[in-house]
Amino acid sequence: MVTEVVYLLETRLSPDAEVRFVGDLASGDLQVDPVAVSDWLRIAELVHRYRDLPLGTVDASVVVAAERLGVTTVATLDRRDFSVVRPSHCDHLDLLP
């Protein structure tokens, strides 16, 4: 998911925003939660269930991480997909911005 974030920062904001984000990762100000081995089956289930969107592996991995971590708020520019998907741990995800 880091790849998608840096792509969006670079293309929609600026290379400087991308550099600042990577710097925050390097300093430990932000932490990356890797996809757990146990997440892959749930990711595949969501991609299949919402294939008409299409949801895709990256967005499904965000939903699965939210489920595993008990997070109900996510930051995304993709309101369409995330407003349709129903996570297992809550009725819906609260979307920022």
Side-chain angles (χ1 to χ4, degrees):
M1 292 186 286
V2 170
T3 304
E4 188 162 291
V5 171
V6 295
Y7 170 77
L8 289 172
L9 288 172
E10 191 268 330
T11 58
R12 296 193 182 187
L13 292 178
S14 70
D16 291 338
E18 178 183 6
V19 169
R20 284 192 304 274
F21 176 76
V22 173
D24 288 342
L25 290 172
S27 69
D29 289 340
L30 298 174
Q31 295 180 347
V32 176
D33 186 50
V35 176
V37 171
S38 59
D39 292 341
W40 290 111
L41 188 56
R42 177 67 174 145
I43 291 168
E45 178 184 312
L46 289 172
V47 170
H48 177 73
R49 179 178 296 154
Y50 296 100
R51 64 188 172 274
D52 292 338
L53 285 177
L55 182 63
T57 299
V58 172
D59 289 349
S61 68
V62 171
V63 174
V64 172
E67 291 174 343
R68 181 168 38 80
L69 298 170
V71 173
T72 59
T73 302
V74 297
T76 181
L77 298 176
D78 190 354
R79 299 186 77 78
R80 183 194 66 166
D81 289 355
F82 285 100
S83 64
V84 172
V85 174
R86 296 294 171 242
S88 64
H89 70 302
C90 59
D91 291 333
H92 64 277
L93 293 170
D94 295 317
L95 308 178
L96 298 176

